[in-house]
């Protein structure tokens, strides 16, 4: 039996914050501790109380004065695009054709997929992200690499092979039957193994024929515990193209509805240019719109309307969308989310931002018992955040007078440098990793 006390300023959410300081929505313990036994949270409380309850041999990780929160959750990104971030000058369809469909061809090689998967998981952890929902490439080897890299680290992840059978280079196309067979094999291999979950992943309506959509429908019907992920209404040219390919559909959302792809385990990337009817369909089916602010700004796609989702009772989550997203950091992502909503006269409060990155995203995945909070029985996925990690932050923090203000500074000025430690199922993952500087120095010496 291993016991660990993670000491610091503990913060975890119990419900969605309403207003600027909804104290009922969170628990904050100034000199607190998370009591971890065998990778699970036993309880949180004051350090004094928890110290008495734990065994005399329990290890103590003292992170004072830093904040201790549940690990961050990223609900949409593309692992094969790790090396294609910051590809210049194009909107969605041109960007896919010019950069992404070239990059993803490299994942036919298992060695390349394994190397990038390792780097991808380490990048997530460096940024305090302990759970990710990712697209792999069309190659089954890329899915094996993705789940193997997560499993080696003990991480809870969701992912799947993209299915594409048209409007993509031949090397990246499968067929309806191959997409079905390969997905089925990967579900059998990975779904429910350890902390891995499978997402059935037709990339978007443009790259799947009606026959492939039917096969996706069959997969969803045969595997109701799997997630479904695809893209919806990101860019105006994309919408025009998608709806022209499915003239019988009422609108873009209706394409997915017709093929039975919308349910409460469906994650729909972007959802920017949506009618009231379409958002209402998401509300009725429980499908989640995924807000990817850095990506939406980078590709010039548009502004996600969170208030409209709330008004119509539709669910939404937040995500980086690397490689159209420009950072692995959920802090930087929420900084941009704040600005995107601000441009539309909407206000994302600091508590709501931190709720969204943790419990909110866990709820979107239906994994709120396991991740996203520090409640008893949860997996001990934990991030330690330093609000004074950069000199400008330290100077700004001297004038902060409330927790909400501190969180806003963290989100607005913070990045991976603020992540002092990250625990996956109670195991410290950051401090034992080589820094990027060390890796670079080693490579120079080898060259
Ligand atoms: N739509 C279809 N594929 C993609 C992708 O890889 N990235 C983004 N941002 N949108 C997409
Ligand atoms: Zn995407």
């Amino acid at each position: 039996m291993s016991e660990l006390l993670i000491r610091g300023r503990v913060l975890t959410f119990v419900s969605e914050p309403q207003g600027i300081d909804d104290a009922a929505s969170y628990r904050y313990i100034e000199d607190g501790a998370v009591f971890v036994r065998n990778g699970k949270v036993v309880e949180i409380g004051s350090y004094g109380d928890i110290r008495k309850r734990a065994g005399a041999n329990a290890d103590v990780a003292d992170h004072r004065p830093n904040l201790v929160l549940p690990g961050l959750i990223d609900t949409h990104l593309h692992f094969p695009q790790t090396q294609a971030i910051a590809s210049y000058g194009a909107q969605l369809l041109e960007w896919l054709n010019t950069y992404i469909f070239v990059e993803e061809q490299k994942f036919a090689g298992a060695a390349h997929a394994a190397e990038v998967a390792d780097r991808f998981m380490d990048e997530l952890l460096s940024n305090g992200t302990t759970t990710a929902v990712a697209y792999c490439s069309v190659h089954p080897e890329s899915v094996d690499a993705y789940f193997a890299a997560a499993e080696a680290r003990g991480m809870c992840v969701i992912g799947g092979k993209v299915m594409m059978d048209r409007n993509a280079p031949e090397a990246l196309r499968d067929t309806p039957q191959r997409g079905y067979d390969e997905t089925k094999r990967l579900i059998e291999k990975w779904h429910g193994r350890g902390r891995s979950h499978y997402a059935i992943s037709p990339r978007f309506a443009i790259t799947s024929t009606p026959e492939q959509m039917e096969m996706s429908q069959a997969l969803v019907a045969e595997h109701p515990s799997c997630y479904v992920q695809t893209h919806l209404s990101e860019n105006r040219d994309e919408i025009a193209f998608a709806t022209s390919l499915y003239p019988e559909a009422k609108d873009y959302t209706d394409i997915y509805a017709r093929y039975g792809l919308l349910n409460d385990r469906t994650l729909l990337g972007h959802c920017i240019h949506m009618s009231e009817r379409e958002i209402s369909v998401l509300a009725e089916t429980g499908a989640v719109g995924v807000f990817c602010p850095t990506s939406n700004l980078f590709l010039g796609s548009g502004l996600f309307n969170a208030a409209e989702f709330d008004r119509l009772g539709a669910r939404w989550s937040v995500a980086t969308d690397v490689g159209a997203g420009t950072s692995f950091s959920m802090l930087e992502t929420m900084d941009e989310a704040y600005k995107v909503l601000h441009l539309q006269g909407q206000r994302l409060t600091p508590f709501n931002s931190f709720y969204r990155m943790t419990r909110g995203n866990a709820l979107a995945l239906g994994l709120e018992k396991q991740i996203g909070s520090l409640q008893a029985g949860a997996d001990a996925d934990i991030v330690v955040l330093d609000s004074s990690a950069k000199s400008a932050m330290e100077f700004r923090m001297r004038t902060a007078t409330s927790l909400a203000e501190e969180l806003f500074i963290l989100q607005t000025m913070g990045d991976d440098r603020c992540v002092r430690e990250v625990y996956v199922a109670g195991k410290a993952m950051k401090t034992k990793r080589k820094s990027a500087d060390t890796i670079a120095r080693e490579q120079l010496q080898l060259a």
Side-chain angles (χ1 to χ4, degrees):
M1 186 176 77
S2 81
E3 289 188 344
L4 172 66
L5 309 187
I6 300 173
R7 185 175 188 180
R9 292 187 295 128
V10 174
L11 174 64
T12 185
F13 291 89
V14 293
S15 61
E16 182 174 353
Q18 311 291 328
I20 183 77
D21 190 5
D22 174 7
S25 68
Y26 61 87
R27 279 189 75 193
Y28 174 65
I29 309 164
E30 184 83 28
D31 184 7
V34 186
F35 181 7
V36 177
R37 183 186 292 140
N38 297 333
K40 301 237 184 239
V41 174
V42 178
E43 59 179 331
I44 59 171
S46 75
Y47 178 71
D49 284 349
I50 296 289
R51 178 67 276 184
K52 282 183 219 140
R53 281 199 236 282
N57 294 330
D59 290 327
V60 178
D62 190 348
H63 291 295
R64 287 175 299 166
N66 295 325
L67 287 163
V68 174
L69 288 100
L72 310 179
I73 301 168
D74 187 344
T75 57
H76 178 129
L77 74 172
H78 298 257
F79 120 72
Q81 297 175 16
T82 301
Q83 258 185 320
I85 305 178
S87 292
Y88 173 77
Q91 289 213 349
L92 176 63
L93 298 178
E94 186 190 351
W95 173 83
L96 283 171
N97 286 316
T98 310
Y99 303 110
I100 299 309
F101 289 163
V102 176
E103 185 69 13
E104 292 194 3
Q105 291 184 44
K106 297 180 190 166
F107 288 74
H112 180 74
E115 184 194 345
V116 178
D118 272 332
R119 198 53 198 255
F120 174 83
M121 296 300 165
D122 286 343
E123 211 51 62
L124 290 173
L125 292 174
S126 279
N127 282 280
T129 298
T130 48
T131 287
V133 185
Y135 291 71
C136 304
S137 69
V138 75
H139 317 95
E141 296 79 6
S142 77
V143 182
D144 287 335
Y146 172 76
F147 282 120
E151 191 172 73
R153 291 160 179 79
M155 294 165 70
C156 169
V157 295
I158 298 168
K161 160 202 145 69
V162 288
M163 292 182 279
M164 296 199 273
D165 69 342
R166 66 170 162 187
N167 294 319
E170 182 157 12
L172 288 184
R173 292 203 300 263
D174 52 17
T175 62
Q177 191 62 47
R178 224 177 87 205
Y180 174 89
D181 292 342
E182 290 177 347
T183 297
K184 202 131 185 113
R185 266 203 305 281
L186 290 163
I187 290 171
E188 274 150 26
K189 181 166 181 186
W190 292 107
H191 185 58
R193 168 164 151 181
R195 303 185 75 193
S196 300
H197 306 264
Y198 199 87
I200 297 162
S201 311
R203 186 178 202 124
F204 62 160
I206 289 177
T207 47
S208 288
T209 59
E211 293 71 34
Q212 183 156 73
M213 296 294 252
E214 279 169 20
M215 288 301 210
S216 302
Q217 178 167 24
L219 286 164
V220 173
E222 289 159 19
H223 301 280
S225 66
C226 284
Y227 293 89
V228 183
Q229 60 178 351
T230 188
H231 296 84
L232 174 60
S233 288
E234 175 175 6
N235 165 292
R236 298 217 183 263
D237 291 343
E238 170 218 15
I239 297 167
F241 191 11
T243 49
S244 77
L245 294 170
Y246 290 90
E248 69 290 354
K250 288 191 197 105
D251 45 39
Y252 198 165
T253 303
D254 193 43
I255 301 173
Y256 298 134
R258 281 168 173 260
Y259 290 101
L261 298 182
L262 303 183
N263 65 49
D264 63 1
R265 302 176 78 73
T266 303
L267 301 164
L268 299 161
H270 309 295
C271 296
I272 297 171
H273 310 284
M274 304 262 288
S275 67
E276 185 168 328
R277 193 205 83 78
E278 292 180 279
I279 299 173
S280 300
V281 170
L282 302 200
E284 281 155 27
T285 56
V288 176
V290 185
F291 177 19
C292 307
T294 72
S295 163
N296 299 159
L297 295 173
F298 180 73
L299 291 181
S301 301
L303 307 177
F304 178 82
N305 191 341
E308 190 67 350
F309 268 64
D310 287 340
R311 185 178 76 80
L312 296 169
R315 303 162 76 204
W316 58 278
S317 65
V318 290
T320 63
D321 191 31
V322 161
T326 49
S327 167
F328 277 91
S329 168
M330 287 302 295
L331 295 174
E332 290 187 307
T333 300
M334 297 317 291
D335 176 31
E336 300 301 288
Y338 172 83
K339 296 171 193 169
V340 165
L341 297 180
H342 209 26
L343 273 169
Q344 302 171 88
Q346 300 172 27
R347 206 161 277 178
L348 184 66
T349 69
F351 280 116
N352 207 294
S353 267
F354 280 75
Y355 163 80
R356 288 274 162 197
M357 288 184 264
T358 57
R359 185 170 171 78
N361 273 358
L363 279 161
L365 303 176
L367 291 175
E368 66 278 7
K369 289 201 173 70
Q370 292 95 324
I371 58 173
S373 81
L374 301 174
Q375 70 195 21
D379 295 318
D381 291 349
I382 288 167
V383 64
V384 178
L385 295 177
D386 177 356
S387 315
S388 300
K390 294 158 57 180
S391 69
M393 292 180 81
E394 186 277 325
F395 197 53
R396 172 65 180 86
M397 273 298 293
R398 291 184 201 178
T399 67
T401 57
S402 69
L403 179 59
E405 193 174 355
E406 176 177 1
L407 295 179
F408 194 59
I409 292 166
L410 249 179
Q411 159 190 317
T412 308
M413 303 176 78
D415 55 31
D416 59 332
R417 285 167 285 186
C418 300
V419 177
R420 288 292 181 210
E421 187 52 279
V422 61
Y423 294 87
V424 172
K427 223 167 100 193
M429 304 298 288
K430 179 143 181 171
T431 45
K432 70 178 178 92
R433 262 195 62 234
K434 283 183 194 171
S435 71
D437 284 355
T438 310
I439 296 169
R441 268 198 302 277
E442 283 174 0
Q443 279 177 346
L444 276 176
Q445 277 160 12
L446 288 175

